[in-house]
Amino acid sequence: MRTLGIETSCDETAVAIYDSDDGIIGESIHSQMIMHAEYGGVVPELASRDHCLKIVDVLKDALGNHSINTIDQIAYTSGPGLVGALLIGEGFAQGLSTALNIPLIPVNHLEGHLMSPMMEFQEIKMPFICLLVSGGHSMIVDVVEKGDYKIIGQSQDDAVGEAFDKVAKLLGLPYPGGPYIEKLATEGDPNSYDFPRPMIHSDNLDMSLSGLKTSVLYKVQKIINLDHNKKANIAASFQKAVSDLLVAKITKAVKEINRKDVIIAGGVAANKFIRSEFKKLEDLLGIKVYYPDLKYCGDNASMIAFVGSMMNAKKRGKNTSQVRARWPLDELKK
Ligand code: KG4
Ligand code: ZN
């Protein structure tokens, strides 16, 4: 059984093929990052237009020597995301599914992130806890079973990736800032500035990032000569504050709901410092922490094809639009 995955929810045009015997047998991704960088964030209209321009070539590249006729079903991201961008992927998926007369499966983008490490680590079994941290989302999810997802904690304001991007901007670093903060932080001392860890002691699993970002802003405004060393110290101290907050909330979640496996997914899961801080929890709590392969931390179509392969649609539905800008995980039906 072969599932073609299509992802266009934001600024990546991606196509992948998941084979139920051989795993991912083809994948291709075109990132629009450079195009949006000059605006300091994703421009939705430009994103849609670029998906239109690139999607056919990305499909051809993903297929390689595989014939499109070997595809059994098509899975595509139908939300959450930028509506205009999602519609390009959906229209393309519908066209292919009509032409090939094969089923079409709308997939929740967040579910793709949740499941992404399972492509590599077959030993992961549900239930598990997932910390999903990206540019648009920061949540702790109790993954009870396929389709049964309980959001047990989330950011009350900025997403973690968003906080990285905003702090990067304050330090004059390019967009998206997460990788640049991580790199700069390797030259800094994480204990040089005592930034707040908002809601770290709250009696729930929610968190807040905007106060931390504002605290970095005030600090940056007060520093007269913001040289490279001071920037590195700010980056390291900020990253440590974020990491402490996430580690504290996952520790609390593990103790409260007693899960043995923890998955960290989404763009921020690529951060090596955060990974190393979570590694320490394994012995401390007797858990195993999993991450997607680095290339699957950010948006990709392989995770969408993989989730689609678990759904195994029986017949082709109608070509009505399923696109949703908002699609909370706990609204997914089994
Ligand atoms: O999952 P993703 O590619 O896109 C969505 O938001 O869905 O995540 C992108 C976010 C950006 O905010 C980016 O700055 C952040 O993930 N990010 C990182 C790192 N790599 C990407 N944040 C911290 N450290 C990183 N190494
Ligand atoms: Zn994403």
Side-chain angles (χ1 to χ4, degrees):
M1 156 78 79
R2 283 188 178 173
T3 306
L4 187 81
I6 297 174
E7 157 64 38
T8 62
S9 66
C10 190
D11 58 347
E12 259 90 31
T13 315
V15 176
I17 308 160
Y18 185 85
D19 183 292
S20 46
D21 294 324
D22 301 324
I24 296 295
I25 56 166
E27 58 188 347
S28 181
I29 184 160
H30 168 75
S31 173
Q32 306 174 350
M33 207 145 70
I34 294 168
M35 184 179 79
H36 297 293
E38 68 172 292
Y39 303 98
V42 177
V43 183
E45 174 71 20
L46 294 182
S48 310
R49 286 171 184 269
D50 203 55
H51 287 312
C52 262
L53 285 175
K54 303 288 165 33
I55 197 153
V56 173
D57 284 343
V58 172
L59 168 69
K60 284 185 187 159
D61 193 39
L63 281 170
N65 292 328
H66 302 290
S67 160
I68 186 96
N69 294 313
T70 62
I71 303 295
D72 299 294
Q73 56 177 14
I74 300 174
Y76 72 98
T77 304
S78 61
L82 302 170
V83 168
L86 290 165
L87 283 169
I88 306 300
E90 179 174 73
F92 191 65
Q94 286 176 344
L96 282 176
S97 127
T98 306
L100 299 169
N101 195 25
I102 55 176
L104 191 59
I105 306 166
V107 170
N108 182 298
H109 177 84
L110 303 176
E111 189 177 23
H113 279 302
L114 287 190
M115 300 292 164
S116 52
M118 296 179 87
M119 283 190 272
E120 186 181 353
F121 302 103
Q122 280 83 21
E123 71 266 30
I124 302 174
K125 296 275 176 287
M126 295 174 225
F128 59 77
I129 290 172
C130 179
L131 170 67
L132 176 49
V133 269
S134 69
H137 302 274
S138 293
M139 57 181 83
I140 303 172
V141 186
D142 184 21
V143 179
V144 182
E145 59 177 352
K146 170 87 182 73
D148 186 0
Y149 309 127
K150 294 188 171 56
I151 297 170
I152 53 176
Q154 55 191 325
S155 171
Q156 301 296 293
D157 35 61
D158 293 350
V160 177
E162 189 182 354
F164 267 92
D165 296 341
K166 287 178 176 171
V167 167
K169 200 171 176 187
L170 292 176
L171 298 179
L173 299 170
Y175 171 86
Y180 296 97
I181 294 265
E182 179 181 358
K183 188 161 181 287
L184 185 59
T186 58
E187 299 172 49
D189 173 4
N191 300 314
S192 43
Y193 297 100
D194 187 20
F195 292 128
R197 281 97 167 121
M199 297 184 73
I200 195 166
H201 298 302
S202 70
D203 61 1
N204 55 30
L205 297 169
D206 292 337
M207 51 201 139
S208 160
L209 275 303
S210 86
L212 167 58
K213 170 205 66 194
T214 308
S215 167
V216 176
L217 169 70
Y218 291 156
K219 183 59 72 186
V220 166
Q221 284 172 341
K222 272 199 205 135
I223 297 175
I224 294 158
N225 175 23
L226 188 62
D227 59 18
H228 184 82
N229 283 347
K230 287 181 192 133
K231 284 185 182 178
N233 284 337
I234 288 177
S237 304
F238 162 76
Q239 184 175 256
K240 176 84 170 82
V242 172
S243 176
D244 285 352
L245 187 56
L246 298 177
V247 165
K249 292 296 170 178
I250 289 301
T251 302
K252 188 170 166 60
V254 167
K255 287 182 177 165
E256 276 178 12
I257 58 173
N258 196 26
R259 303 283 188 234
K260 291 288 169 222
D261 286 345
V262 171
I263 281 180
I264 322 278
V268 181
N271 187 293
K272 292 186 199 67
F273 177 79
I274 294 178
R275 286 185 176 215
S276 67
E277 292 291 285
F278 271 105
K279 183 88 195 141
K280 298 177 191 163
L281 281 190
E282 292 196 330
D283 285 346
L284 213 62
L285 300 175
I287 57 169
K288 183 95 179 80
V289 183
Y290 295 92
Y291 308 90
D293 187 286
L294 277 183
K295 68 177 172 178
Y296 298 138
C297 286
D299 292 346
N300 65 88
S302 298
M303 65 185 190
I304 304 302
F306 179 62
V307 170
S309 76
M310 294 173 168
M311 312 240 220
N312 190 5
K314 295 283 177 295
K315 58 178 178 17
R316 210 165 67 77
K318 290 198 182 110
N319 279 349
T320 50
S321 182
Q322 309 289 326
V323 159
R324 294 176 64 171
R326 284 192 72 255
W327 187 6
L329 272 172
D330 45 13
E331 281 180 21
L332 274 179
K333 294 199 183 67
K334 272 185 223 172

